[in-house]
Amino acid sequence: MSAPLEDYALLGDCRGAALVGKHGGIDWWCAPAFDSPACMAALLGTREHGHWTIAPREPVRAVRRQYRGDSMVLETDLETASGSVRLIEFMCFGEHDERPPQLTRIVEGLSGTVPMRMELVLRFDYGSRVPWVTRERGVLSAIAGAERVRLYTPVPFVGKKMATVADFALQAGQRIPFTLTHSPSHLPEQPPIEAERALTSTVETWHAWSARSTYKGDYRSEVQRSLLTLKALTYRPTGGIVAAPTTSLPEQRGGPRNWDYRFCWIRDATITLYALLVAGYTEEAAAWREWMLRAVAGAPAEAQVIYAVSGERRLTEFELPWLPGYADSKPVRVGNAAHSQRQLDVFGELMDAMYQCRRSGVENAASWALEKKLLGYLEHLWSEPDEGIWEVRGPRRHFTHSKLMAWVAFDRAIRSIEQFGRVGPLERWRALRERIHADVCEHAFSKQRGVFTQSYGSDELDANLLLMPLEGFLPVDDPRVQATVAAIEQELTIDGTFVMRYRTRPELDGLPKGEGTFLPCSFWLVNVMVMQGRKQEARALFDRLLALCNDVGLLAEEYDPIDKCMLGNFPQAFSHLALVDAAVALSQDRCEPHAERPSLVG
């Protein structure tokens, strides 16, 4: 079984990603892109499904690790009875970006003489294909169909039981490089950038990027680490940002809710733009905006909530039966059937993002025509049921959040006309905005319970109702909002910290304990507390949430407060985006509705 999620750190080059555990094992690597088939998939199976481990051959007494400054270069110190070593690990970034992906590990002796072992098991296509391995001039070449991985190192290695192994001793002061490159198998060899030069270039590139940050508020180090994680999840060729670099990490150990998150969700648009712009990353914000516009271009009826990193729409979902799954959680899935669902909130998120672009001066002037087309379609669609933000795989319902975001879509369009002189059917949209507002207040509010509910006619709560004041639908001091927030804190919150999305039903969900708590919901509660003037409580909650980050500052999608472990895909962009959003609110000592925030830049 693979290590706990907390043990992993992220390596990335803004094209693909790898996850490396505390004790020197890379158990997940997708190259050349985030959604490419993994050539190391031990994360979802066993070591035989692909891994690359460099570690001492004797027991490790202590592990200490950190990213080097504000970069994505990982340094892990391993201490044994014989001495200590340091693993310096990174994906080459910043020099000759057109080259094949390069995963480099430099092993440095810190003290004593430590016996070491390298073991490389390559299994292409998510652990299902054993490559043909050859050696020429000291370079290992592993080919399976269209893919080739090469290993470069001065250390002698041998083949053993379908693996490549190398035993060596590392003395204090020694530095030994190991480099893997991934390329199409039909292309001639392109030697990697020399390891030490690649390290210098990569560190300099990440530090230069981090130095552009204009964020000066509280929790600066935590915010910058979250922004670095977001940058590492950016697909540089297109500007798309994946939700996570992994697939099928379960929402509950042993459960079936295992989804592929290596795609881009439109619903992350506004909070992504805000996180980038509040730190001065206007180029990245513009690239994300352009990705969105290209992705949703076309017939409005074909707009999706999720797209691939280059904007592809067909994300066919299928299962990989040969992988036992993380913590024996089956099935392992690739692709995501949510691309074919109707999720009305996508229109609100897109329109909110375009409005924020106008406010911040990174607008695409041609986007308004597309926005009007989408709104014309939404005028007829908003009253229909859908699958909702949580992508429920059951009968469609009239979800309150979906109606709320339809209201947001027209509200932001109206603001674009009133504030920026855009031309559109202002009076018709004003009337429709009021109609949607009245519809939600009438049908989503339970008079019996005195709160807003998850869907029309339901008595169930949903944490996404916390977004009502954050989106500006109702003021935070509205008695209905106050009652709803209080009910969420009482019924959906565990230990005063962990907010569930909604109450799962084991008899319907097939989960023995339901799912973990969804971390972004807890950060939403921080924001609402700030809006309510409960600043001391908000800061205390935020500090408790920060304590959930692993030793290198990463968060998963969910947290299990019973087993005290992370759940879901890892690291999760949405969790880090919500962290940044809450940190800004605490730093400014206020939280305004999205459309009324005083500044997005600087």
Side-chain angles (χ1 to χ4, degrees), residues 76-97:
T76 303
D77 292 353
L78 305 170
E79 180 183 320
T80 74
S82 300
S84 58
V85 299
R86 174 172 294 163
L87 290 175
I88 304 168
E89 306 168 279
F90 59 96
M91 294 181 72
C92 189
F93 178 48
E95 183 176 358
H96 307 301
D97 291 338

Side-chain angles (χ1 to χ4, degrees), residues 414-428:
I414 291 166
R415 291 172 183 266
S416 291
I417 293 172
E418 294 174 338
Q419 298 174 17
F420 299 102
R422 296 297 175 264
V423 177
L426 181 59
E427 294 306 319
R428 189 171 82 232

Side-chain angles (χ1 to χ4, degrees), residues 330-465:
K330 298 182 179 69
V332 173
R333 294 182 174 93
V334 168
N336 199 309
H339 77 276
S340 62
Q341 289 187 347
R342 174 193 291 170
Q343 297 180 27
L344 297 179
D345 61 295
V346 65
F347 295 93
E349 276 111 15
L350 181 64
M351 291 300 300
D352 196 12
M354 293 301 102
Y355 172 69
Q356 302 300 347
C357 284
R358 290 190 180 94
R359 296 183 68 221
S360 60
V362 294
E363 182 190 8
N364 181 325
S367 70
W368 182 243
L370 175 60
E371 293 171 57
K372 288 196 296 183
K373 285 285 187 182
L374 292 171
L375 288 172
Y377 178 66
L378 185 60
E379 287 187 50
H380 305 285
L381 191 67
W382 74 268
S383 60
E384 297 293 323
D386 72 339
E387 279 88 359
I389 183 176
W390 306 132
E391 300 170 1
V392 174
R393 299 198 176 191
R396 291 175 174 174
R397 286 184 268 168
H398 291 280
F399 286 102
T400 302
H401 175 262
S402 298
K403 309 301 185 188
L404 162 66
M405 296 311 295
W407 177 90
V408 167
F410 291 104
D411 177 74
R412 304 311 191 253
I414 291 166
R415 291 172 183 266
S416 291
I417 293 172
E418 294 174 338
Q419 298 174 17
F420 299 102
R422 296 297 175 264
V423 177
L426 181 59
E427 294 306 319
R428 189 171 82 232
W429 286 348
R430 281 175 174 166
L432 189 52
R433 180 178 63 177
E434 293 306 310
R435 181 182 169 191
I436 297 172
H437 196 280
D439 192 77
V440 171
C441 290
E442 178 180 356
H443 297 293
F445 186 76
S446 170
K447 294 180 181 178
Q448 180 179 357
R449 295 200 60 189
V451 298
F452 285 101
T453 60
Q454 183 182 60
S455 60
Y456 287 10
S458 168
D459 287 329
E460 300 291 333
L461 285 170
D462 195 309
N464 61 36
L465 299 169

Side-chain angles (χ1 to χ4, degrees), residues 24 38 41 121 129 156-158 303 414 437 546 577:
V121 176
R129 300 174 63 189
F157 52 82
V158 297
I414 291 166
H437 196 280
L546 283 185
L577 290 165

Side-chain angles (χ1 to χ4, degrees), residues 1-213:
M1 175 181 166
S2 55
L5 292 186
E6 293 86 349
D7 283 2
Y8 287 101
L10 173 68
L11 306 178
D13 63 356
C14 296
R15 289 184 292 179
L19 293 186
V20 55
K22 278 187 175 181
H23 295 288
I26 293 179
D27 291 340
W28 183 253
W29 185 29
C30 293
F34 292 105
D35 55 355
S36 297
C39 57
M40 298 176 193
L43 180 69
L44 300 178
T46 68
R47 291 166 65 87
E48 285 68 36
H49 292 110
H51 73 100
W52 186 21
T53 300
I54 303 177
R57 279 185 286 156
E58 57 189 19
V60 175
R61 292 178 170 178
V63 180
R64 294 175 297 275
R65 63 179 182 171
Q66 62 182 4
Y67 286 109
R68 182 181 290 187
D70 286 337
S71 80
M72 294 301 297
V73 175
L74 184 69
E75 298 181 336
T76 303
D77 292 353
L78 305 170
E79 180 183 320
T80 74
S82 300
S84 58
V85 299
R86 174 172 294 163
L87 290 175
I88 304 168
E89 306 168 279
F90 59 96
M91 294 181 72
C92 189
F93 178 48
E95 183 176 358
H96 307 301
D97 291 338
E98 74 284 355
R99 296 174 65 93
Q102 176 175 328
L103 180 54
T104 297
R105 314 178 81 179
I106 299 172
V107 191
E108 179 182 11
L110 299 180
S111 66
T113 299
V114 181
M116 301 289 294
R117 165 164 282 205
M118 183 215 75
E119 182 174 283
L120 173 64
V121 176
L122 291 166
R123 296 293 183 266
F124 293 94
D125 196 19
Y126 302 104
S128 67
R129 300 174 63 189
V130 179
W132 180 258
V133 177
T134 59
R135 186 188 320 194
E136 185 177 354
R137 299 187 305 277
V139 177
L140 179 141
S141 175
I143 297 177
E147 297 180 87
R148 183 202 306 266
V149 169
R150 290 186 174 95
L151 169 65
Y152 298 83
T153 181
V155 175
F157 52 82
V158 297
K160 187 176 182 180
K161 295 182 179 180
M162 307 298 288
T164 300
V165 298
D167 291 321
F168 59 101
L170 191 66
Q171 299 177 350
Q174 261 188 303
R175 288 168 70 98
I176 300 177
F178 296 82
T179 294
L180 291 183
T181 62
H182 183 285
S183 62
S185 59
H186 66 280
L187 295 180
E189 180 178 7
Q190 191 171 6
I193 301 172
E194 189 270 330
E196 296 290 350
R197 183 160 65 93
L199 172 61
T200 299
S201 174
T202 299
V203 170
E204 289 177 350
T205 301
W206 281 114
H207 282 175
W209 186 84
S210 294
R212 290 171 45 206
S213 175

